[in-house]
Amino acid sequence: MKGNVFIYNANIFTPVGSSAKCGAEMGNLLHIPRGVIMVEDGVITFVGDETGYPLRVYNRFTNIDARGKAVIPGFVDSHTHLIFGGYRPEEFGWRLKGESYMSIMQRGGGIQSTVNATRKATPEELADKAQWYIDRMSEMGVTTVEAKTGYGLDTESELKMLRALEILRKRENQKLEIVPTFLGAHAVPSEYKERTEEYVDLIIREMIPLVKDKARFFDIFSEKNVFEIEDSRRLLQAAREAGMKLKLHADEIVTLGGAELAAEMGAVSADHLLHVSDIGIRNMAEKGVVATLLPLTAFALREPYAPARKFIEAGAAVALATDLNPGSCFSGSIPLTIALACIYMGMTVEETITALTLNGAAALDMANETGSIENGKRADLLILDFPEISMLPYYIGMNCVQTVIYKGRVIKGLQ
Ligand code: NIG
Ligand code: FE
């Protein structure tokens, strides 16, 4: 179902365009202090100053007086692992005592532990569990979310995760847009221990042909002792040849050259980048690879934050996302993401809005569909509790989203 909405008295802030904003441009938001937004059949058909616009009650429209409220585009969370079986609170406790994320993974915990639980679940169970997270995300203003597989790690279980995503996408009145990513190269599963090459072959020969039309992206955990650069390159080449668009978990734990590989392969985005090299930053900026930064993960792992300012100064496009997953970062908090980006990564509030809207959409190759308040775009809109966007990082970790509109439907709010 798609809706008709008329919003008036709106203090509108939005990036403008249908591609990622790079460098200094990330800070430029269009500001319309007394604006109106017309939405017909789920699509924005007018946005502009209210002077001269007929202000009246429109029949068969949801009429919203946004006096005293800021209006911004819906958030795009372009990196999550929201489908998973089980939980790993014991690992969180071990990390609090000083054990590292990679050492837990190397002794058979970590991703493998979630794989064991996910393999036991049905697609319906996985979908129902994920719906709970989707409902929470929607409350915080997310109108588009990317969701990865990667806890199946055998052909049948990876397909089962994609099936769970399909169930969620097809649910009537789903609250947001779901973009599926295939992450079969998330780890080498225990049955292939010490046989990484054979697992890489399995992905290339068996999985890619089966998933290429079901997932929008191919993603890989390119990391020391997981998929090193040579394996990563082989996998990415095979996925690209099959027509898939590429993403990488790059330079998350150590500096490996993942950012350089993302640029070489023409990936749409490289994500994490806590330990990215200066050359990697330059190459990504030159090749237009979106840098998707995930401050909640750095926070949860007590790692240094990704160098957002260096990316912006190099002229790159930065997106922000949550990385919601049951291991490294069990949080989907958009408000805390905004606060951390401003407090610890030196981003301005305008830059964080661009990073969570238009640039998030660009990281999903959807910047012509959503991510800004403009004619012809999907009507994904947020009305905040406050008149000014400066409240977003200042009200630390708290939700400032009063009304959520997805495809012109009021998902949360007064109406
Ligand atoms: O993005 N680093 C690899 N993948 C996830 C974590 C997955 C997990 O621990 O379950 C990440 O951090
Ligand atoms: Fe991730």
Side-chain angles (χ1 to χ4, degrees):
M1 209 190 73
K2 294 168 182 171
N4 297 333
V5 184
F6 178 61
I7 306 176
Y8 56 102
N9 278 329
N11 194 19
I12 301 170
F13 297 87
T14 180
V16 175
S18 48
S19 58
K21 293 283 153 204
C22 300
E25 282 206 328
M26 281 185 63
N28 297 337
L29 298 184
L30 172 69
H31 179 207
I32 308 173
R34 289 189 57 181
V36 298
I37 302 169
M38 195 68 164
V39 173
E40 292 169 81
D41 247 351
V43 174
I44 299 169
T45 52
F46 180 85
V47 50
D49 192 88
E50 68 186 30
T51 321
Y53 201 89
L55 289 187
R56 58 178 180 83
V57 173
Y58 286 82
N59 291 333
R60 293 190 304 280
F61 276 65
T62 306
N63 292 268
I64 302 176
D65 180 355
R67 188 180 300 273
K69 318 269 185 220
V71 178
I72 63 173
F75 292 131
V76 178
D77 189 347
S78 63
H79 181 139
T80 83
H81 308 248
L82 66 84
I83 306 259
F84 56 88
Y87 291 99
R88 286 148 53 194
E90 65 293 342
E91 284 183 18
F92 186 74
W94 299 333
R95 289 212 307 273
L96 292 184
K97 291 200 179 116
E99 193 172 355
S100 76
Y101 177 80
M102 285 312 274
S103 108
I104 294 170
M105 183 169 175
Q106 268 147 18
R107 62 187 178 82
I111 292 169
Q112 182 66 46
S113 145
T114 300
V115 168
N116 299 340
T118 306
R119 284 180 177 175
K120 289 191 193 119
T122 66
E124 290 74 20
E125 284 165 352
L126 292 172
D128 287 346
K129 184 170 181 185
Q131 184 68 51
W132 194 85
Y133 293 99
I134 286 173
D135 292 348
R136 253 89 252 123
M137 288 174 180
S138 169
E139 286 274 313
M140 292 181 279
V142 175
T143 49
T144 303
V145 70
E146 183 255 20
K148 302 175 195 296
T149 69
Y151 294 123
L153 307 190
D154 62 38
T155 307
E156 191 193 324
S157 310
E158 284 294 306
L159 287 171
K160 180 176 72 181
M161 291 190 77
L162 287 170
R163 173 80 196 114
L165 285 168
E166 189 61 17
I167 293 171
L168 289 166
R169 278 156 62 95
K170 292 226 168 105
R171 265 191 191 160
E172 213 179 321
N173 294 331
Q174 187 53 278
K175 295 177 175 172
L176 42 68
E177 195 76 13
I178 300 165
V179 179
T181 290
F182 171 68
L183 179 57
H186 197 187
V188 178
S190 53
E191 63 273 21
Y192 280 89
K193 202 169 190 301
E194 316 289 343
R195 295 191 294 140
T196 302
E197 286 305 299
E198 284 174 51
Y199 185 60
V200 170
D201 289 341
L202 178 77
I203 296 176
I204 293 175
R205 272 200 251 103
E206 199 172 291
M207 296 192 198
I208 290 178
L210 290 170
V211 304
K212 69 179 169 51
D213 298 321
K214 295 190 164 74
R216 287 270 284 267
F217 291 93
F218 178 94
D219 194 353
I220 178 167
F221 187 20
S222 184
E223 187 62 51
K224 189 166 185 289
N225 297 326
V226 189
F227 297 100
E228 307 254 356
I229 290 297
E230 272 319 305
D231 290 329
S232 302
R233 185 181 280 111
R234 246 187 93 206
L235 282 159
L236 291 164
Q237 268 164 353
R240 194 172 62 179
E241 274 164 30
M244 296 186 81
K245 293 177 197 143
L246 309 178
K247 285 180 169 290
L248 285 81
H249 283 64
D251 301 319
E252 178 180 355
I253 312 287
V254 297
T255 309
L256 195 74
E260 289 87 331
L261 183 62
E264 176 194 320
M265 297 301 302
V268 176
S269 76
D271 303 28
H272 284 291
L273 303 161
L274 304 181
H275 300 279
V276 66
S277 73
D278 287 345
I279 295 172
I281 294 176
R282 204 176 56 215
N283 293 2
M284 281 177 60
E286 268 169 21
K287 289 283 158 60
V289 181
V290 177
T292 301
L293 309 183
L294 310 160
L296 291 169
T297 313
F299 174 70
L301 295 180
R302 283 195 281 227
E303 288 285 329
Y305 291 88
R309 285 256 64 87
K310 278 191 176 182
F311 274 108
I312 294 171
E313 274 150 29
V318 170
L320 287 164
T322 64
D323 196 23
L324 169 69
N325 74 73
S328 64
C329 178
F330 188 41
S331 171
S333 175
I334 296 285
L336 191 55
T337 299
I338 293 172
L340 295 175
C342 291
I343 298 170
Y344 290 110
M345 291 158 75
M347 292 176 72
T348 66
V349 62
E350 289 83 2
E351 287 167 346
T352 65
I353 288 177
T354 300
L356 271 164
T357 58
L358 188 60
N359 283 8
L364 298 179
D365 213 12
M366 293 174 80
N368 55 348
E369 290 168 50
T370 188
S372 66
I373 306 177
E374 287 178 272
N375 285 358
K377 288 228 180 166
R378 212 166 69 199
D380 299 345
L381 306 165
L382 308 179
I383 304 176
L384 305 185
D385 281 310
F386 301 101
E388 293 303 329
I389 52 174
S390 53
M391 299 302 274
L392 283 166
Y394 168 52
Y395 194 30
I396 297 170
M398 304 298 282
N399 192 5
C400 296
V401 175
Q402 181 213 54
T403 301
V404 178
I405 297 169
Y406 163 59
K407 278 190 186 161
R409 267 195 292 136
V410 180
I411 303 292
K412 165 190 173 178
L414 306 169
Q415 314 303 316

